[in-house]
Amino acid sequence: MDEVGVLERVAALSTRSIKRESKRAALDLIVAMIDLTTLEGKDTAGKIAQMSAKAIRPDPLDSSVPSVAAVCIYPNMVKYAVQATEGTDVRVVSVATYFPSGLADIDLKVEEARRVVAEGADEVDMVIDRGAFLSGDYFKVFDEIRRVKEACGDVHLKVILETGELATLDDVRRASMLAMGAGADFIKTSTGKIQPAATLPVALVMLEAIRDFHDATGVMVGMKPAGGIRTSKDAIKYLVVLNETLGERWMTPDWFRFGASTLLNDVLMQIRWLETGRYASPDYFTQG
Amino acid sequence: MATKLPATSHEPLLWDYATSKESTDIVEIDSKYGLFIDGKFRAPKSRKYFPTINPANEEHLADVAEAGPRDIDLAVSAARRAYTDVWGPMSGAERAKYLFRIARMVQERSRELAVLETLDGGKPIKEARDVDLPLVAGHFFYYAGWADKLEYAFPGVSPKPLGVAGQVIPWNFPLMMLAWKVAPALATGNTVVLKPAETTSLTALMFAQIASEAGLPPGVLNIVTGAGRTGAAIVGHDDVDKIAFTGSTAVGKMIQSQLAGTSKRLTLELGGKAAHVVFEDAPLDQAIEGVINGIFFNQGHVCCAGSRLLVQENIHDRFVDKLKRRLATLRVGDPLDKNTDVGAINSRAQLERITELVEVGLSEGAEMFQPDCVLPDRGFYFRPTLFTNVAQSHRIAQEEIFGPVLSILSFRTPDEAVEKANNTPYGLSAGVWTSKGSRILWMADRLKAGVVWANTYNKFDPTSPFGGYKESGFGREGGRHGLLAYMDWGEG
């Protein structure tokens, strides 16, 4: 990878000017792509129920706004989320494999993945062992992903690379290829616990890796930037990079997600602005 | 969960960007422009005017004066007076003040200038806004800084200005080429008679207004509009001390023979057919961007365009596939749309030349690829074009097309890459893509080109000299080297 070139490409794509109907289409798509996330030590059944309600009906005053893609939560919260989203299209995503560090025995990780699947998670977001990766033990990283995927069965597996700890774009690409080769359905940037979380240059490198992997194998893999994307403007930049790197086939929640929490309300405010020509006070948008 | 939709249930969004057009309200265009001579706009003695149009829609923008020999006389004598009486004797520190003021005014009015540049020349607004204008201001700032430091630029010599500089510039970067010529000439104490290209006079005329508002003494800068005959009148004028020309190699040769046996100094920045060399170990996706930028930037109207792509044979097919896919995402159309990547061809004549050479390429047996984009009904446009199966002997591998057309050849070894890259009468620029630092240095040593870009392309900076080898011309513009061409170093 050439970092200067990657930064330039991202800067060029960031100047795209997205207006009117293409902006509205983008904002709706962003909502539908959000994995609405809470990953805190203080999460409770009540918090999950409230966030799920927001996920199902993000803007109670505007039925044209779609539901988000999923709620993303800790393993112990899966049962509450399953309950709260029952009968809706909102999916339940559980982090697993000893999120966020991933520093546990592989049998424990597999067991955790198996358990969240049994409890009804629709998707599993696992973390790779960055220590193993950085020390050059790629086989261990590969094998762990393979075994977790086996435990997930048909349930979608997203593999978190924690790019903020990998640091170089060469390693981001190497980890992306490794995860896809091992059976990832999605590759995801970050846990949200490490800074920097998602960045546009990293996302571009991962999307290019997905494109090369698809060229070589015919297999489509999805992508999820997570952490640090807080405004509609930022999210639209990711869509532009997606649109001009992988193209139309990936422009769906099936193949692209945003891991985010505060982003949702900013998008809702922008939609309200497009509809009414005025910015509404944040008081009019529920805190989830 | 039975209640949930399956994982692949959503229709993909075919997301096209709505038009996002830059407003032209900021620019006021007069219906008629005179010549800027001795600090004033005046009607041409020739009484002749010619139209300038917007190549994006062929609409008439304004009528521009055509300077005849008597007008050139007036301009040169005004420049001579200003040189003798005001600008020549002025201290460098004082000259710098004017140049700094002009640089700031260009910055302040950069949106207006960018819109006018796009209207008159057809380049995408995002390029005029993000590339041309910042570089224009940058050049004035940079050379303003040299004006009072000339004695330190080359220690041990006391350089003197040459006198009156006649400058003739092309239509591809109208204001930027003006800045490259005017800024070093004025900083070193020369006065200027400059002729912009006939299809792109307007930003030079707006620049004349700015210079006038900046209080630049009358006669220091004269802008005379017109076509080839006007240019020839400047070049042939007896009282001009130096000629600086940027344009085609054919015209450059004429100028050089016209000046042979005279005491006039000459610098020429002419055509190119740059090799863009991609090795197997290159960062491929970034190399693709570099190649795209190298040939489609400003519709390929760039003398240093990377118009000959040399790809190592073992990655050739994969690279070309990537390139084709990338071509399909280029947005071709209205230059004023902020999302346009490739704008309008500068003139009908240039469009005809490109079309002709592309037909030659087809008849020579090269394989053409163009993306399936819709072009506007009116105006001059050409699809981004790739040729594969190109042989070194094809005309499209030898001649400068000056349009959005890339010829792709392959090579097997580094030696072969160098041999093919240098096998051209030109030598302006080259590009190298490889992850190996040692190979970059090895290539840069062997490529006969004024500029060699490594893992990037079309990078410009006021501090960096630019110019050619062989039929791409001589002399350097930019950087400390750029001062040389406008100063007498006591060598005669």
Side-chain angles (χ1 to χ4, degrees):
Chain A
M1 308 307 306
D2 184 78
E3 194 175 339
V4 175
V6 170
L7 295 179
E8 272 178 7
R9 174 70 174 144
V10 162
L13 288 173
S14 296
T15 66
R16 289 290 190 218
S17 173
I18 306 300
K19 304 278 186 213
R20 299 188 304 278
E21 61 273 18
S22 46
K23 184 169 183 184
R24 176 63 205 256
L27 293 173
D28 281 347
L29 183 59
I30 291 165
V31 172
M33 283 174 164
I34 287 177
D35 283 358
L36 197 60
T37 302
T38 181
L39 293 167
E40 291 178 357
K42 62 186 180 193
D43 286 344
T44 58
K47 164 76 185 176
I48 302 302
Q50 290 192 29
M51 190 179 78
S52 300
K54 173 96 173 174
I56 295 161
R57 192 77 194 275
D59 188 345
L61 302 177
D62 185 349
S63 60
S64 73
V65 175
S67 302
V68 304
V71 289
C72 180
I73 46 154
Y74 265 120
N76 279 7
M77 300 291 133
V78 170
K79 50 183 177 293
Y80 308 122
V82 167
Q83 217 168 28
T85 58
E86 188 150 18
T88 73
D89 295 337
V90 174
R91 299 160 70 84
V92 174
V93 177
S94 175
V95 296
T97 70
Y98 287 72
F99 181 96
S101 77
L103 293 177
D105 187 83
I106 179 60
D107 294 329
L108 294 172
K109 295 190 200 180
V110 169
E111 181 48 36
E112 189 183 43
R114 196 169 282 139
R115 214 194 74 200
V116 298
V117 169
E119 287 191 4
D122 301 295
E123 302 173 7
V124 172
D125 287 11
M126 73 170 285
V127 288
I128 64 165
D129 182 337
R130 283 88 72 192
F133 182 88
L134 291 171
S135 64
D137 195 352
Y138 302 133
F139 179 77
K140 179 167 192 272
V141 179
F142 183 93
D143 196 53
E144 287 193 3
I145 298 170
R146 193 186 54 78
R147 285 188 59 188
V148 173
K149 176 60 193 167
E150 218 169 71
C152 290
D154 292 337
V155 164
H156 256 221
L157 176 66
K158 304 198 198 85
V159 176
I160 302 171
L161 310 179
E162 196 65 300
T163 53
E165 289 185 340
L166 303 185
T168 70
L169 295 179
D170 283 318
D171 270 348
V172 169
R173 182 177 169 93
R174 194 173 291 132
S176 300
M177 286 298 185
L178 195 120
M180 290 187 284
D185 296 300
F186 260 67
I187 49 178
K188 173 176 169 181
T189 58
S190 321
T191 60
K193 305 293 181 194
I194 295 286
Q195 289 305 323
T199 66
L200 277 174
V202 158
L204 174 62
V205 168
M206 290 169 71
L207 293 171
E208 285 171 347
I210 289 171
R211 184 168 66 187
D212 288 342
F213 188 77
H214 180 252
D215 283 351
T217 65
V219 176
M220 270 177 91
V221 174
M223 151 83 193
K224 176 178 171 181
I229 306 166
R230 294 189 180 84
T231 65
S232 307
K233 208 173 162 182
D234 283 347
I236 287 173
K237 287 180 184 171
Y238 279 87
L239 278 195
V240 167
V241 172
L242 175 68
N243 195 37
E244 299 201 28
T245 307
L246 291 172
E248 184 203 337
R249 283 177 71 195
W250 268 266
M251 292 286 287
T252 137
D254 301 331
W255 298 110
F256 196 82
R257 297 281 179 81
F258 289 100
S261 43
T262 51
L263 171 65
L264 179 58
N265 267 0
D266 189 71
V267 177
L268 297 178
M269 284 172 77
Q270 288 290 331
I271 291 175
R272 189 78 60 85
W273 174 74
L274 278 177
E275 305 250 296
T276 65
R278 287 188 300 278
Y279 278 107
S281 151
D283 292 347
Y284 289 96
F285 300 94
T286 55
Q287 296 299 319
Chain B
M1 302 294 295
T3 53
K4 303 287 165 71
L5 291 167
T8 49
S9 58
H10 300 86
E11 281 293 307
L13 174 68
L14 180 57
W15 193 36
D16 198 12
Y17 309 145
T19 312
S20 178
K21 200 164 167 160
E22 180 74 41
S23 165
T24 57
D25 294 348
I26 193 167
V27 186
E28 264 181 54
I29 302 178
D30 297 344
S31 59
K32 208 178 205 185
Y33 286 90
L35 305 167
F36 185 73
I37 294 174
D38 210 9
K40 281 200 232 18
F41 280 95
R42 51 186 83 209
K45 299 283 181 204
S46 71
R47 298 195 191 160
K48 285 189 208 154
Y49 290 85
F50 61 93
T52 186
I53 63 165
N54 177 351
N57 54 23
E58 299 172 58
E59 278 170 20
H60 180 257
L61 290 173
D63 287 322
V64 178
E66 184 186 326
R70 286 177 60 202
D71 298 301
I72 300 304
D73 261 345
L74 286 174
V76 172
S77 53
R80 174 62 59 193
R81 267 197 313 279
Y83 173 68
T84 315
D85 300 343
V86 188
W87 200 249
M90 191 184 279
S91 75
E94 281 303 307
R95 290 198 303 270
K97 286 184 193 168
Y98 290 101
L99 294 174
F100 277 123
R101 195 178 302 150
I102 288 172
R104 280 195 303 274
M105 288 171 73
V106 165
Q107 274 186 324
E108 281 158 16
R109 292 176 66 174
S110 62
R111 209 173 129 231
E112 191 180 349
L113 288 161
V115 171
L116 186 60
E117 196 78 308
T118 288
L119 279 173
D120 201 21
K123 68 173 60 206
I125 184 68
K126 74 169 181 192
E127 288 180 11
R129 178 192 68 195
D130 298 342
V131 181
D132 292 55
L133 263 298
L135 281 169
V136 170
H139 262 267
F140 278 98
F141 278 120
Y142 176 76
Y143 280 107
W146 271 124
D148 62 349
K149 302 173 192 71
L150 297 172
E151 286 170 40
Y152 308 100
F154 301 91
V157 234
S158 315
K160 292 181 187 61
L162 297 172
V164 176
Q167 307 179 325
V168 178
I169 59 171
W171 43 261
N172 55 344
F173 296 95
L175 203 53
M176 196 162 110
M177 291 298 104
L178 177 147
W180 282 26
K181 297 265 184 289
V182 171
L186 297 190
T188 46
N190 302 277
T191 55
V192 165
V193 177
L194 177 136
K195 185 191 87 66
E198 67 270 28
T199 58
T200 54
S201 307
L202 297 186
T203 46
L205 294 164
M206 187 178 277
F207 180 82
Q209 274 169 14
I210 289 175
S212 169
E213 285 166 32
L216 193 70
V220 172
L221 172 73
N222 304 276
I223 307 280
V224 289
T225 45
R229 267 187 307 182
T230 306
I234 297 174
V235 171
H237 198 285
D238 288 341
D239 203 26
V240 169
D241 300 297
K242 189 234 155 44
I243 295 295
F245 171 77
T246 298
S248 71
T249 294
V251 174
K253 286 181 177 178
M254 279 162 53
I255 293 176
Q256 196 172 2
S257 52
Q258 196 181 345
L259 293 192
T262 74
S263 63
K264 285 178 205 170
R265 306 283 185 96
L266 176 65
T267 44
L268 296 172
E269 201 263 86
L270 308 174
K273 190 75 186 178
H276 210 156
V277 185
V278 180
F279 285 97
E280 59 169 350
D281 65 345
L284 290 192
D285 286 307
Q286 287 78 58
I288 291 283
E289 292 309 316
V291 170
I292 291 281
N293 173 267
I295 186 64
F296 300 119
F297 176 64
N298 200 29
Q299 298 73 246
H301 302 328
V302 186
C303 41
C304 54
S307 51
R308 272 188 308 148
L309 175 62
L310 296 171
V311 191
Q312 195 154 5
E313 198 166 309
N314 55 355
I315 56 161
H316 175 275
D317 293 355
R318 212 172 127 218
F319 197 77
V320 170
D321 283 347
K322 274 178 176 280
L323 210 47
K324 286 178 177 172
R325 185 159 50 190
R326 178 67 177 86
L327 232 61
T329 68
L330 285 173
R331 305 173 65 85
V332 187
D334 183 358
L336 278 172
D337 188 330
K338 291 176 214 162
N339 289 324
T340 290
D341 300 318
V342 180
I345 301 300
N346 183 263
S347 64
R348 184 182 297 281
Q350 188 57 28
L351 181 59
E352 280 164 4
R353 159 130 182 106
I354 295 166
T355 310
E356 184 202 318
L357 274 165
V358 163
E359 276 160 16
V360 168
L362 284 170
S363 67
E364 284 174 328
E367 227 167 89
M368 186 176 77
F369 171 83
Q370 292 179 325
D372 199 15
C373 52
V374 184
L375 302 182
D377 296 333
R378 297 196 61 199
F380 313 133
Y381 294 93
F382 200 85
R383 287 197 171 78
T385 303
L386 301 182
F387 275 110
T388 49
N389 276 340
V390 179
Q392 191 74 354
S393 58
H394 287 169
R395 274 180 69 191
I396 52 167
Q398 291 291 326
E399 291 181 30
E400 184 176 37
I401 299 174
F402 223 61
V405 183
L406 178 67
S407 300
I408 306 176
L409 298 92
S410 64
F411 68 90
R412 293 159 299 176
T413 63
D415 286 323
E416 189 184 351
V418 169
E419 193 184 308
K420 283 185 164 164
N422 288 339
N423 182 208
T424 164
Y426 296 112
L428 192 53
S429 59
V432 180
W433 291 83
T434 170
S435 294
K436 253 197 167 71
S438 57
R439 180 172 291 146
I440 290 171
L441 299 173
W442 190 88
M443 289 292 289
D445 269 354
R446 285 160 182 78
L447 290 170
K448 291 200 169 52
V451 183
V452 179
W453 282 295
N455 292 336
T456 187
Y457 208 84
N458 275 342
K459 279 279 166 311
F460 299 98
D461 192 276
T463 62
S464 172
F466 183 89
Y469 273 57
K470 301 194 278 186
E471 291 192 17
S472 292
F474 47 82
R476 294 291 179 267
E477 294 182 299
R480 195 178 56 136
H481 303 66
L483 299 167
L484 282 164
Y486 289 96
M487 308 227 64
D488 189 340
W489 299 90
E491 77 256 13

